[in-house]
Amino acid sequence: MNRSIWAHLVRTVARKELLDGFRDRRALMSALLFPLMSPILVALMFTAIARDQATPPTLEIPVAGEEHAPGLVQFLETAGAEVVHAPEDPSAAVGLGAVPLVVAIDAAYSDRFREGRPAKVQMWVDSSRNANRAAVRRVTRLLEAYSSQVALQRIVLRGVDPQLLQPIDLTELDAAGPQQRAANLLEMLVMMAVMAAFLGSMYLAMDSTAGERERRSLEPLLSLPVPRSALVVGKFLAAVTYGALGVMLATITMVVAMNYTPLELLGVRVVLTTPAALGLLGVLLPLVPVAAALQLLVASGATSFKEAQTWLSMTLFLPMMPGMIMTVRPVNPQDWMAAVPGLAQQVLSGKVLRGEGLSGLDIGLVCGASAGITIAALVALTALYDKERVLKQG
Amino acid sequence: MIHAHHLKKSFGSVTAVHDVSFDAPDGRITGLLGPNGAGKSTTMRMLHGLLKPDTGGVTIDGLDVVSDTLAARRTIGVLPDALGLYPRLTAIENIRYYATLHGLSSTETTRRVAELLDRLDMHGIAERRTAGFSQGERMKVALARALVHAPQNILLDEPTNGLDVMSTRAVRAMVRSLRDEGRCVVFSSHIMQEVAALCDHIVVVARGRVVAQGTAEALVERAGASNLEDAFVTLVGLDSTEGALG
């Protein structure tokens, strides 16, 4: 068949699928809503973390029986906490979440304290409430600090070297500074852009294959004097267009959202200039044809639209896996990683975001691997459409 | 004109078509008549190369359907039993899509679409999306889609299935006028009245074989029956254990 006729057929199929997809609210939503929303959500998370980092909120400690322990109250206030009167019924107030915790000082506190016997302090908490954990931990630390301060004073008064009480000197060093946490969030951003590539083409890929068969419009289509390869490539191009739209939208939203995020509060140096955004796009776009071709192949092999939906939602996790693993356990980038779609995007986007350039090898590997997988999938897809069983419904 | 000789087709261990041969010349309506499951649809699908016969072959206007599939398909318009339209496209968009895939130019397409809208009386539904169309409306769109490239050969698989009287008459009128233009029409149905009313030549298919063919009168005479229905039952060899719906 003449090359220009073939191209004309491909264009016709692609244009029809694009129009059909454009009128399909579900396809449009899955392609556009996610890339629009997700970077904004991540930016909000960034901002929240930055605010937390900048100004730890003043700690309010509800205390019952504070008149029994003036020394303790003074210690807490010196440490920056605000001691307030506890509600009447501490158990109920904590249980209902009215206050995060209540410190209850025993009536016999001052007598026992003076006699050098353990003075009782109770702390009401609700361990089922995650949001209160930080407050509980801070109050616990303060109480322990007061306790050891008093112990030290008592020992020094009795002429004992306080160092005897400290057999080990433990210092906790947190490797995950704010910078690391922010870097993790950036990996998450990239993961979302990767998902945008998959979600963008997913619905169209499904509708133009499994959907076409389920609507019974496949048989008349296959009766036309059109080579199967033209049908396959036309549908592929339509799906790629949607995937690329999703990725571009995600990148733009990401850049805009990042510019409204106080990244400097996190001490993060993220370069999101126009060249960086273009570099990001260049890293993400090669994933789009891979996603579209694999989705078409999987959806065409499914016996029904429902089955296609199930399979494709499952394959959605594949490209996210490298990102998820790297969020939990960062790995050092290696050259070969650029050849694995999904992983490549994660590793190379990190490079771009940190302001490192991409090497020729990186670009060659990411594009080469993408082209290879895409072509293999399209060849398999054409072979599938050449078989009689492609018409069979489950 | 279509020439089918000794078609055989099996799916796994089931043989759907054992031996089907017939000629469908131009200017004639050839009816494939047989009970459900007789192998009509399988035969129709082999006629335009959607299924490849295990043995035997089909030529359309001298083109071999298996070896020269695309060229043969350009000369035929197919109305499969599946009327699948694109619900989010309008009637006209559905028809134009097929016209473009058949290689018609834009002006040619516009002219053909206008002509078919007239002939099938579809102006009221032309600009509407096909989601929610009645069976009759869907049939008209599917028919226009199959005929948009003015094919010399036309394959209609049970085109009047599920249609009301008015739509059925419209389809019949269309089929007759296609015949009168000198086109080759192959029409499959399991409804005798339908075939008797429309077809010039009837090919009776049962259990994957051609059991008789000829005009309605010839078939009645051959079966020694008083009407076509009795002739059909005799020819197909139905008895009380094998209902006509079986």
Side-chain angles (χ1 to χ4, degrees), chain B residues 161-182:
Chain B
N161 244 3
L163 295 190
D164 59 22
V165 178
M166 291 312 291
S167 305
T168 303
R169 289 174 73 117
V171 170
R172 279 188 198 164
M174 184 80 192
V175 171
R176 285 203 185 93
S177 74
L178 290 169
R179 184 234 357 241
D180 295 342
E181 288 165 13

Side-chain angles (χ1 to χ4, degrees), chain A residues 1 5 8-10 12-17 19-26 203 207 212 215-228 231 235 387-388 391-392, chain B residues 9-11 45 48-53 69-71 73-74 76 78 80-90 93 96-98 100-104 129 138 145 149 157:
Chain A
M1 166 166 281
I5 294 178
H8 174 70
L9 292 173
V10 168
T12 305
V13 174
R15 207 179 303 134
K16 179 261 160 192
E17 296 297 352
L19 175 67
D20 213 344
F22 179 71
R23 289 185 184 166
D24 184 358
R25 206 171 299 153
R26 287 177 296 182
Y203 210 89
D207 196 67
E212 175 117 76
R215 276 194 301 270
R216 309 190 71 193
S217 55
L218 183 60
E219 184 176 338
L221 184 67
L222 293 182
S223 309
L224 295 172
V226 178
R228 304 283 154 96
L231 291 180
K235 285 167 189 287
K387 293 212 169 77
E388 289 174 358
L391 278 173
K392 257 213 175 139
Chain B
K9 182 72 186 174
S10 304
F11 301 103
R45 284 175 180 160
H48 62 274
L50 192 64
L51 297 179
K52 202 175 151 216
T69 314
L70 296 188
R73 276 190 190 155
R74 281 191 201 104
I76 43 179
V78 183
D81 64 343
L83 290 186
L85 304 174
Y86 299 106
R88 290 182 293 268
L89 300 191
T90 66
E93 285 167 344
R96 289 193 73 101
Y97 182 42
Y98 273 45
T100 319
L101 288 178
H102 267 295
L104 268 61
R129 294 195 189 173
R138 295 165 60 80
R145 193 170 72 170
H149 56 304
D157 199 353

Side-chain angles (χ1 to χ4, degrees), chain A residues 73 104 116 137 164 208 236 244 293 336 341:
Chain A
V73 170
R137 204 168 47 232
L164 285 175
S208 62
F236 165 73
W336 61 265

Side-chain angles (χ1 to χ4, degrees), chain A residues 123-171:
Chain A
M123 183 159 72
W124 290 92
V125 298
D126 182 345
S127 59
S128 66
R129 287 178 199 273
N130 273 335
N132 295 344
R133 275 212 186 133
V136 169
R137 204 168 47 232
R138 284 174 70 185
V139 174
T140 310
R141 289 230 181 100
L142 283 175
L143 292 175
E144 281 168 1
Y146 179 66
S147 182
S148 47
Q149 190 190 320
V150 173
L152 278 178
Q153 285 168 356
R154 287 176 179 171
I155 281 176
V156 170
L157 281 176
R158 283 161 182 75
V160 179
D161 185 356
Q163 285 196 19
L164 285 175
L165 280 182
Q166 198 186 11
I168 32 175
D169 179 10
L170 175 69
T171 315

Side-chain angles (χ1 to χ4, degrees), chain A residues 44-69:
Chain A
L44 288 178
M45 279 169 61
F46 262 109
T47 312
I49 288 184
R51 295 259 155 76
D52 274 2
Q53 210 77 39
T55 49
T58 44
L59 184 62
E60 216 173 70
I61 312 178
V63 180
E66 67 264 46
E67 65 278 8
H68 305 303

